[in-house]
Amino acid sequence: MRKSKNKIQRQKRIYLDHAATTPVKKEVLKAIQPYFSEKFGNPSSVHFFGQEAKRAIDKSRQIIADFLNVKPTEIIFTSGGTEANNLAIKGIVFASRKKFSLPHVITSSVEHHCILHTCEYLERQKLAEVTYLPVDKFGMVNPLDLEKTIRSNTVFVSVMYANNEIGTIQPIKELVKITKRKNPSIIFHTDAVQAIGDLNCKINYLGVDMLSISGHKIGAPKGIGMLYIRSNIEIHPLLHGGPQEFRKRAGTENVVGIIGLGKAIELLRKKEKKNEKIKKLRDKLIKGILEKIPETILTGHPLKRLVNNASFCFKGVDGEAVLLNLDLEGIAASSGSACASLSLKPSHVLSACGIDPLIAKGAIRFTLGEENTEREIDKVLKVLPLIIKKLRKISGY
Ligand SMILES: Cc1ncc(COP(=O)(O)O)c(C=O)c1O
């Protein structure tokens, strides 16, 4: 009997949505397991159980501090990238209101919604003025635009290191230099959630004052993240309560998540070779798709892009329909960022890149991971052209 297509065995499914989330690595799972049960202490407790958990947190904090080349006291654990970004923006804006009644914030128009919606909230509440920098057709911010936008009440600049939808890498070092040259007291933050597994995030290399990461994009569990905050920066906490996280983020620590994040960061040191393999597969996928499927646009920068990102717009089709058809073939991709995929509006990132909304509707993103194989890429290159052909026929394109 023929197996129904949606009964494809789990192990035969092809996962190409690593920018949405990644599986927890086996080494991470092994490291965190004891902290669910026998090592269950509250790190604030003075007894053995508490101190055992505290030591594990301290170790994790040290691993991450070493990775970023900063002090452990500059690492603040959060519930993820969203909270880290909220803490960065609101924390600085709230602290700056002592000096300016309406502080000015600069960000880019292609940020993740957790940055953009936070900025829009601050504007609506009349707590800050915000400038959204434009990008070019590849999604790149022009440093000269940033320079022109800085004002006397500018307190905070936030530009993401790499984009989650199109993979474009921003010239962070240059943006920091321009900002600091204009006014060294402006705080520069970068959302490195998508960048941490691929790019150099050492703070002395980038020169940023704050940097956000999230665990579930690099093989740690969901619900853990971190904000690096340079030690001399005054920031208001968002959560009030106990003295955890150097009084910058109250609440009993997510011990399991923190240990998992530390382990995942430790494993990144060995990732260079794996990234070479991912890039080879990614290049094969891009080349194959552009060759086999006419009327296709590669979105994002052709070269300055994340090693695992292959994102496209297929003219004459609806991205959601492509996704569903791929899923029936056992292939998981994304039609934009995971959180945006429920909305029918074209992605704000593609709109900012000047892509026609009709074309942007046909957006599909493949993001590769360590476990993907050449056979899997071959399968995508076999089925995707047929799917696009079929859908274009239906739409009369
Ligand atoms: C660039 C970027 N920033 C922030 C986030 C939010 O991170 P989290 O899911 O940990 O809240 C994401 C998640 O997709 C992201 O891609």
Side-chain angles (χ1 to χ4, degrees):
M1 210 171 71
R2 250 186 97 228
K3 238 190 221 165
S4 120
K5 274 189 175 168
N6 51 14
K7 291 226 177 89
I8 297 164
Q9 286 166 337
R10 175 162 267 283
Q11 62 268 33
K12 288 217 177 121
R13 290 195 170 268
I14 299 173
Y15 186 77
L16 291 169
D17 200 12
H18 292 81
T21 198
T22 59
V24 171
K25 289 189 174 146
K26 61 178 188 315
E27 297 92 333
V28 171
L29 197 57
K30 192 164 166 238
I32 66 180
Q33 236 149 11
Y35 292 87
F36 282 106
S37 47
E38 72 259 36
K39 300 185 179 183
F40 62 87
N42 181 331
S44 297
S45 303
V46 291
H47 49 60
F48 173 84
F49 294 91
Q51 292 310 296
E52 185 176 50
K54 184 171 184 309
R55 271 196 305 278
I57 287 187
D58 289 346
K59 185 175 159 208
S60 201
R61 203 186 297 281
Q62 186 68 56
I63 291 170
I64 299 167
D66 289 347
F67 188 81
L68 297 176
N69 227 345
V70 299
K71 294 183 238 151
T73 48
E74 295 174 311
I75 302 290
I76 306 300
F77 291 114
T78 64
S79 65
T82 299
E83 188 192 326
N85 287 339
N86 267 265
L87 175 58
I89 307 174
K90 290 178 187 156
I92 294 302
V93 164
F94 295 161
S96 305
R97 283 169 52 84
K98 264 194 306 205
K99 201 164 162 202
F100 299 106
S101 58
L102 203 56
H104 178 230
V105 169
I106 301 172
T107 188
S108 88
S109 47
V110 292
E111 299 296 309
H112 190 269
H113 279 140
C114 63
I115 295 270
L116 292 177
H117 291 171
T118 303
C119 287
E120 288 159 15
Y121 165 81
L122 291 171
E123 282 184 294
R124 271 197 313 276
Q125 298 296 318
K126 309 226 177 322
L127 296 168
E129 297 179 308
V130 184
T131 301
Y132 302 89
L133 296 172
V135 291
D136 66 13
K137 64 179 178 181
F138 300 130
M140 294 276 266
V141 168
N142 182 344
L144 295 178
D145 284 334
L146 171 61
E147 188 167 26
K148 280 188 277 181
T149 314
I150 293 171
R151 310 183 194 155
S152 56
N153 63 335
T154 304
V155 294
F156 189 74
V157 177
S158 182
V159 178
M160 72 199 320
Y161 198 175
N163 186 269
N164 44 306
E165 289 186 36
I166 55 174
T168 298
I169 299 165
Q170 301 292 352
I172 298 297
K173 266 171 84 103
E174 216 180 324
L175 296 172
V176 172
K177 258 191 214 144
I178 279 186
T179 305
K180 298 287 175 183
R181 202 166 55 214
K182 271 248 163 155
N183 179 354
S185 64
I186 296 173
I187 290 159
F188 197 108
H189 165 258
T190 191
D191 172 350
V193 166
Q194 294 291 342
I196 187 83
D198 179 8
L199 306 174
N200 184 352
C201 284
K202 294 231 178 290
I203 300 299
N204 53 334
Y205 166 77
L206 286 174
V208 295
D209 302 298
M210 295 174 122
L211 177 142
S212 305
I213 67 169
S214 169
H216 72 105
K217 312 286 184 182
I218 51 166
K222 293 162 189 64
I224 184 68
M226 177 234 68
L227 179 65
Y228 156 76
I229 309 176
R230 197 183 286 285
S231 49
N232 55 352
I233 289 176
E234 193 198 338
I235 186 161
H236 281 200
L238 300 187
L239 302 184
H240 298 87
Q244 292 91 351
E245 297 304 302
F246 316 108
R247 299 193 175 275
K248 294 190 171 94
R249 200 271 186 184
T252 301
E253 298 87 339
N254 173 0
V255 179
V256 164
I258 291 172
I259 295 167
L261 182 60
K263 192 71 194 174
I265 292 281
E266 195 180 283
L267 294 170
L268 285 183
R269 290 209 199 101
K270 300 181 194 145
K271 202 160 178 271
E272 226 162 82
K273 264 233 163 78
K274 291 178 185 156
N275 278 344
E276 269 170 42
K277 180 198 131 189
I278 293 173
K279 184 171 181 294
K280 247 193 184 154
L281 293 182
R282 194 270 321 259
D283 289 346
K284 177 174 175 156
L285 182 63
I286 292 180
K287 190 163 172 276
I289 287 180
L290 293 178
E291 269 171 17
K292 285 170 183 255
I293 309 176
E295 301 288 292
T296 298
I297 299 168
L298 174 72
T299 52
H301 197 283
L303 299 172
K304 291 175 189 159
R305 65 189 301 134
L306 285 174
V307 86
N308 73 340
N309 177 294
S311 51
F312 307 90
C313 284
F314 300 105
K315 292 188 190 169
V317 297
D318 197 335
E320 297 295 311
V322 180
L323 260 198
L324 291 176
N325 277 272
L326 281 171
D327 196 41
L328 288 174
E329 294 287 346
I331 299 165
S334 160
S335 59
S337 65
C339 345
S341 63
L342 287 180
S343 83
L344 286 174
K345 273 200 308 199
S347 123
H348 68 283
V349 175
L350 298 178
S351 303
C353 295
I355 295 177
D356 183 291
L358 270 178
I359 296 174
K361 265 178 55 176
I364 290 287
R365 173 189 77 182
F366 298 98
T367 42
L368 286 73
E370 290 170 26
E371 74 285 358
N372 289 128
T373 62
E374 189 151 9
R375 276 178 74 167
E376 292 179 333
I377 299 304
D378 288 338
K379 165 119 193 240
V380 177
L381 291 176
K382 195 170 144 214
V383 302
L384 186 61
L386 302 175
I387 292 174
I388 302 291
K389 203 170 170 185
K390 180 180 82 179
L391 292 174
R392 280 181 177 163
K393 211 169 166 188
I394 294 169
S395 72
Y397 183 75

